[in-house]
Amino acid sequence: SAVISQKPSRDICQRGTSLTIQCQVDSQVTMMFWYRQQPGQSLTLIATANQGSEATYESGFVIDKFPISRPNLTFSTLTVSNMSPEDSSIYLCSVQVRGARTEAFFGQGTRLTVV
Amino acid sequence: GENVEQHPSTLSVQEGDSAVIKCTYSDSASNYFPWYKQELGKRPQLIIDIRSNVGEKKDQRIAVTLNKTAKHFSLHITETQPEDSAVYFCAASPGSSNTGKLIFGQGTTLQVKP
């Protein structure tokens, strides 16, 4: 299994500002994933964060809006830039751990409200 | 890219009845299909998964079936209990390498009435 810690767990931010979300894993992983879950909706993949290279973004998401860092194999950050109320969502990081049972684990999420 | 469709969006059953949730996917190369349960305010938790070399997998009251030809898979919960009430998401790992990247269905809100 994997223990994933996300910070902050929640925040209320003013529009036009930026928020950086941290994701720490208790083991080394090759890929980390960032998802957005809008209120009452499913999880949508934002990007894949690889250590030592630029993140790979999914359609509809761009680096200027969601810059990602991946300085080592246990840590990543997602920044939500120039926020608007439409960015109010839960943001989750995820990693896959290979072992007896290969599965993807999720952090507890960061609940962001933009006012 | 991969697209996952999930039905129904809501499902209400009496305690003890069975519940079935169905998903279809588009990427024929996908070979890993997990199901997650998300309780209100909590993170998604894996409840069962299936790989394309298997047609069915069962874990106590939960089972998943996969039809690779038709590109659909289903979650079956038998003898439902009130604590099964939650949102359930199916997902597919696009491509054949199963990197941990997942594309999710829209979710099904299951309500089990006592």
Side-chain angles (χ1 to χ4, degrees):
Chain A
S1 66
V3 176
I4 306 173
S5 300
Q6 267 188 250
K7 291 180 182 180
S9 57
R10 58 177 63 222
D11 207 342
I12 301 173
C13 300
Q14 296 289 323
R15 67 178 67 198
T17 64
S18 298
L19 176 72
T20 295
I21 303 167
Q22 299 179 4
C23 181
Q24 178 77 52
V25 187
D26 68 342
S27 57
Q28 295 184 339
V29 293
T30 305
M31 294 184 185
M32 296 178 76
F33 303 92
W34 288 98
Y35 291 85
R36 180 176 73 183
Q37 187 172 27
Q38 294 177 303
Q41 302 295 313
S42 183
L43 289 80
T44 301
L45 182 64
I46 298 172
T48 302
N50 299 304
Q51 193 266 338
S53 64
E54 281 202 5
T56 303
Y57 290 83
E58 298 297 310
S59 176
F61 298 95
V62 295
I63 187 170
D64 290 348
K65 177 66 176 178
F66 298 101
I68 287 172
S69 78
R70 182 80 199 273
N72 58 51
L73 291 173
T74 64
F75 186 79
S76 178
T77 68
L78 169 76
T79 299
V80 185
S81 303
N82 188 24
M83 289 184 285
S84 66
E86 292 72 38
D87 295 318
S88 297
S89 291
I90 298 173
Y91 293 85
L92 301 106
C93 65
S94 173
V95 302
Q96 183 186 56
V97 176
R98 295 186 185 274
R101 180 177 182 174
T102 300
E103 66 178 274
F105 292 89
F106 287 86
Q108 77 271 32
T110 297
R111 182 180 294 271
L112 170 62
T113 302
V114 184
V115 297
Chain B
E2 177 72 278
N3 184 54
V4 179
E5 298 287 334
Q6 182 173 346
H7 300 280
S9 58
T10 61
L11 182 58
S12 181
V13 300
Q14 284 298 131
E15 181 177 1
D17 287 350
S18 295
V20 180
I21 302 171
K22 298 182 179 181
C23 290
T24 60
Y25 62 97
S26 61
D27 185 353
S28 56
S30 296
N31 59 17
Y32 177 64
F33 308 92
W35 285 88
Y36 284 84
K37 176 183 181 182
Q38 188 176 34
E39 296 176 332
L40 192 62
K42 297 191 175 180
R43 75 189 79 189
Q45 298 275 8
L46 180 74
I47 56 171
I48 197 168
D49 56 12
I50 192 167
R51 300 180 191 281
S52 60
N53 57 348
V54 174
E56 182 173 1
K57 183 177 179 182
K58 191 172 182 180
D59 183 0
Q60 300 182 338
R61 296 186 297 110
I62 296 173
V64 56
T65 58
L66 171 65
N67 183 328
K68 234 181 128 39
T69 302
K71 291 191 281 189
H72 67 70
F73 57 112
S74 300
L75 177 71
H76 304 253
I77 306 174
T78 59
E79 301 171 27
T80 53
Q81 301 166 4
E83 51 265 37
D84 294 329
S85 297
V87 181
Y88 292 80
F89 294 100
C90 63
S93 183
S96 58
S97 55
N98 188 15
T99 61
K101 174 179 175 178
L102 295 174
I103 305 300
F104 284 84
Q106 296 86 341
T108 297
T109 301
L110 174 63
Q111 181 186 31
V112 180
K113 298 178 182 176

